[in-house]
Amino acid sequence: MPQIHRNSIIPRSRIATDKAEAALLEEYTGLVRLAYLTLPAAFTRHRRVLLAHTAVQRALPGRRAAFVPGPRVPDGDAADTDADTATDALRVRTLRAALSVGHRPAGWPAALPPPRTLLPRLPVVWGLRLFPRAGGAQEVALVRALAGASAAARAAFVLRHIDSMSAGRATALLTAAGVADAGSAVRESVGLDAEAGPAAAALLRSQEFDACSVQTRPTDLLRRARRTRAALAVGAVSVVAAAALLAPGSAPHREAASGGDPVRASSVAGDLTRAGRDTWADTSRVDFTAWPARGDRSEDTSLLDRALDAWAAPSGAVRVSRTPDTPADAPPRAPQLLFAGDVGGRSVVLVSDGERLARYTAPDGDGPAHLALARVDDADVTTAAAVVLTRDHGSARYLTAPWITEATTRDLLRPDTPGRPLDVSHDGVTDPVPVAPADGCARRPVLQLRSSPRIVEDHSFLLADLGGLSPVHLTYTPLPGHGTPPPRQPREATGGQALVAWARTACRLQPWRGGAVRAVNAWDFAEQRLPKDAGRAVWSCVRASTWRGPGDVALLLRTPAAAAEPAHLVGRSRATAACSRFGQHVVADTRWKSPDDRWYLLAAGSRAVTRIEASGAVTESHKGRTLAVRAPEHGTVRVAARLDTGERLNEVPRDEP
């Protein structure tokens, strides 16, 4: 987009204070939403709510009229645009305030928060936490996408979808607000459209982003009481120390006291950080950093010291294991304590350094301790929902996240069987849960968890244990509609259609055991009528996304069969972008034997495929998204497709049949 000079779009006009005040009252909710979404995503929701209201309330000009950006209009129409111009003035001032919150001036110490966050501002709330009401799964996905964008891009996203501004208009307004490269910010915001889809405006207007309609919760009452007692104790000690210093003959005593060996001020365990009990309900980062310290040994400094020593400098008495590409070095900062307690005859300590989980386990009797490390960077409400504490005799016990309000178990191979309630202790530790056998596919147990409505409404999801420290999140993308509809987004695999699809897919998860997988999505990308009236088949691309970034895919074909019969494996591909948001088009093929023992080449493509071409042992070109043609049982066939853009799409490279 060419660079737009702001005065060619928004000339400067004079706005009276009374008109600005009227515009503020009328547009207050929208302005607060704009500020709330522009403020740093790392701030808690409570803090952003208060700062958003502060930014808007301070946006009103002083007694003198203010020169602000206003729309260029033909002569004679100025009176009709006064309100719009006043609103733009408030938007500019609001954005300036919101964008400056996270700004550090040159030379400002990195260890200190930005200066704007240190100054007290009204409104002020004591003893309560404020946060918008939780939205649904789509809102949660949009929250994550916005958190990864710049503040200026988030502001542009709101201006474009809520205020219906053109890209040029949004660029000019952001420039007036002091954004150095507003055009880039607007282009970045366009990239967020794929995450929000056509319902972007509706999602932004939902209660998840409404900082004017908020819920309240008390602060951590126990922590408040402890801090009060600690302050009183410090005051008392200070008084006693002052009296001792003033007492006659105290100097020799001080010298004697300081002449011995230095006393260790605190143990290693004293350096551990701990999140507040309700931090998870008041933060935009719902992951392991929001877990409080739990377990009946969370104050056992001896156990905690052993666990931290094992991570910092493991001895020969400690067995260390880690998932692929997980660094084994010592934590770069003070770890956060998540759990310490006795589980199944073992002492278990779980800590995190923000990017990795470390689980230390030691038997009550003889035997080596074990330290397990796993990457968990960029975890979210689902992938940080549970951690394996112990795994014994075909079962596992999990520690569930503090936002989990309901837990059940179910077998993926039996989609019609309802889940079985799972008992969870007050510390979040589950009863033993069966795990899938290493060999065979007799059962595929999974956890079905439900999140608290304080962070997301009516949200349940599936987690599968693939041998790692954290279970794998299972999702499902249904078949596209007719024509060329917009791409569908992965959804939770808890509905009837998803469970039926996963019943045929579950046995194909085995190759990904222990491979540092964070999520697996089953995408049904095409449906095909089989020759000889043999029924309908569904093509699926199952993508396993790893914590380290690359993903592997398995291409499957589900022909008519029993509910739990594994789908036919067409092929696999490793370290590929296929079947992800960066590889949204796919074409695949396989040989199929009809009921009358005739061989066919079957091929199918995703929603944007308009033609499929085969060459080699079979030469055929067919308009549409599917192809079925007689073919020899053996012989090399190459399949490609044409997209609705005219581009050529090759089939996914297959590492193994």
Side-chain angles (χ1 to χ4, degrees):
M1 187 178 71
Q3 185 175 2
I4 301 174
H5 191 274
R6 67 174 179 175
N7 289 335
S8 67
I9 300 296
I10 307 179
R12 299 173 74 82
S13 58
R14 196 173 184 84
I15 304 301
T17 301
D18 56 344
K19 292 180 179 178
E21 183 176 6
L24 185 143
L25 294 175
E26 182 176 354
E27 302 292 337
Y28 188 82
T29 299
L31 291 170
V32 170
R33 180 186 288 107
L34 175 62
Y36 179 78
L37 287 168
T38 303
L39 286 164
F43 288 3
T44 65
R45 291 186 291 173
H46 170 82
R47 191 177 185 187
R48 281 189 291 153
V49 166
L50 293 181
L51 287 174
H53 285 272
T54 298
V56 175
Q57 292 175 18
R58 293 174 62 85
L60 195 65
R63 295 301 303 168
R64 294 185 302 167
F67 286 99
V68 296
R72 184 181 296 281
V73 296
D75 294 340
D77 292 344
D80 296 334
T81 62
D82 278 353
D84 291 339
T85 308
T87 302
D88 278 347
L90 294 171
R91 288 182 182 126
V92 169
R93 294 173 68 95
T94 297
L95 284 174
R96 284 176 183 166
L99 290 168
S100 68
V101 167
H103 175 68
R104 284 183 168 86
W108 187 264
L112 294 178
R116 297 275 303 193
T117 66
L118 297 177
L119 301 177
R121 293 285 189 269
L122 294 176
V124 176
V125 176
W126 293 95
L128 287 175
R129 310 298 290 176
L130 311 179
F131 48 91
R133 295 181 178 275
Q138 288 180 295
E139 287 85 348
V140 171
L142 182 56
V143 167
R144 292 195 63 204
L146 291 172
S150 66
R154 293 195 298 271
F157 190 74
V158 176
L159 293 174
R160 290 174 46 245
H161 290 288
I162 293 294
D163 301 308
S164 303
M165 289 190 183
S166 65
R169 179 74 179 160
T171 300
L173 194 142
L174 288 172
T175 301
V179 177
D181 191 355
S184 295
V186 172
R187 289 191 292 273
E188 184 183 353
S189 76
V190 173
L192 296 171
D193 292 351
E195 186 68 39
L203 292 176
L204 289 174
R205 289 191 176 94
S206 69
Q207 59 188 11
E208 177 77 35
F209 307 108
D210 186 358
C212 288
S213 300
V214 297
Q215 298 183 96
T216 62
R217 290 287 188 276
T219 55
D220 192 330
L221 301 178
L222 293 176
R223 175 178 287 188
R224 191 194 309 176
R226 287 196 299 267
R227 285 177 175 173
T228 302
R229 291 194 296 268
L232 293 174
V234 169
V237 170
S238 300
V239 171
V240 173
L245 288 174
L246 295 176
S250 60
H253 176 73
R254 290 198 304 272
E255 292 175 358
S258 61
D261 294 334
V263 179
R264 187 179 182 186
S266 63
S267 66
V268 176
D271 296 331
L272 284 169
T273 63
R274 301 171 188 241
R277 183 169 54 88
D278 288 328
T279 297
W280 61 270
D282 186 28
T283 179
S284 59
R285 184 178 176 181
V286 186
D287 58 10
F288 290 110
T289 62
W291 278 38
R294 292 174 289 174
D296 55 7
R297 299 183 68 178
S298 59
E299 303 297 336
D300 187 338
T301 56
S302 176
L303 172 62
L304 299 179
D305 281 346
R306 292 197 301 273
L308 294 177
D309 287 344
W311 192 0
S315 66
V318 178
R319 293 187 295 108
V320 179
S321 63
R322 56 192 177 101
T323 55
D325 289 339
T326 300
D329 53 333
R333 62 187 68 86
Q336 177 183 339
L337 178 62
L338 307 182
F339 178 85
D342 294 322
V343 182
R346 291 183 179 89
S347 301
V348 181
V349 176
L350 186 67
V351 292
S352 170
D353 66 355
E355 297 181 352
R356 294 171 295 172
L357 283 180
R359 185 192 64 197
Y360 172 84
T361 56
D364 289 345
D366 295 333
H370 181 213
L371 179 71
L373 298 170
R375 287 182 61 166
V376 291
D377 42 323
D378 200 27
D380 58 22
V381 64
T382 55
T383 51
V387 174
V388 177
L389 291 180
T390 63
R391 196 180 278 116
D392 280 310
H393 309 299
S395 65
R397 299 185 69 177
Y398 303 89
L399 179 66
T400 58
W403 56 82
I404 297 302
T405 58
E406 180 183 310
T408 59
T409 61
R410 66 181 313 139
D411 189 347
L412 280 182
L413 302 184
R414 294 164 178 79
D416 296 330
T417 303
R420 179 177 59 85
L422 177 62
D423 289 335
V424 181
S425 73
H426 70 280
D427 276 334
V429 180
T430 70
D431 280 357
V433 178
V435 297
D439 299 320
C441 194
R443 65 177 187 275
R444 280 292 180 268
V446 293
L447 294 174
Q448 182 164 335
L449 306 178
R450 183 176 297 278
S451 299
S452 166
R454 293 173 66 179
I455 57 172
V456 58
E457 285 189 341
D458 194 24
H459 180 224
S460 63
F461 52 95
L462 298 185
L463 297 179
D465 187 351
L466 294 186
L469 202 52
S470 58
V472 174
H473 181 208
L474 303 183
T475 56
Y476 171 70
T477 305
L479 286 164
H482 297 290
T484 310
R488 294 193 175 184
Q489 299 299 318
R491 58 194 63 182
E492 301 303 346
T494 53
Q497 184 181 8
L499 291 173
V500 169
W502 267 106
R504 303 282 307 277
T505 305
C507 291
R508 299 303 181 187
L509 291 173
Q510 197 70 10
W512 291 315
R513 287 186 63 86
V517 175
R518 62 171 297 176
V520 181
N521 180 57
W523 171 32
D524 287 348
F525 65 86
E527 187 177 31
Q528 180 174 23
R529 183 179 295 278
L530 296 173
K532 302 297 182 181
D533 294 326
R536 305 188 73 86
V538 175
W539 293 82
S540 182
C541 184
V542 182
R543 178 178 177 83
S545 300
T546 63
W547 288 102
R548 64 187 184 277
D552 302 341
V553 300
L555 298 169
L556 306 179
L557 179 65
R558 301 199 305 268
T559 56
E565 182 176 325
H568 174 59
L569 179 63
V570 173
R572 291 187 181 275
S573 184
R574 296 182 175 87
T576 176
C579 308
S580 72
R581 60 175 178 163
F582 302 109
Q584 299 184 12
H585 309 299
V586 63
V587 62
D589 70 280
T590 189
R591 304 292 173 87
W592 174 78
K593 189 177 182 181
S594 69
D596 60 357
D597 294 333
R598 296 174 182 266
W599 284 97
Y600 286 81
L601 172 71
L602 303 181
S606 52
R607 60 186 181 86
V609 168
T610 58
R611 177 177 293 275
I612 296 179
E613 302 165 350
S615 60
V618 174
T619 302
E620 184 73 24
S621 179
H622 182 74
K623 185 178 181 180
R625 291 169 49 199
T626 60
L627 170 69
V629 60
R630 286 285 305 276
E633 180 180 358
H634 303 290
T636 301
V637 177
R638 292 174 294 277
V639 170
R642 292 287 175 183
L643 302 178
D644 52 10
T645 61
E647 295 178 82
R648 178 183 174 88
L649 175 68
N650 294 321
E651 60 183 327
V652 177
R654 286 179 279 189
D655 297 328
E656 58 182 90

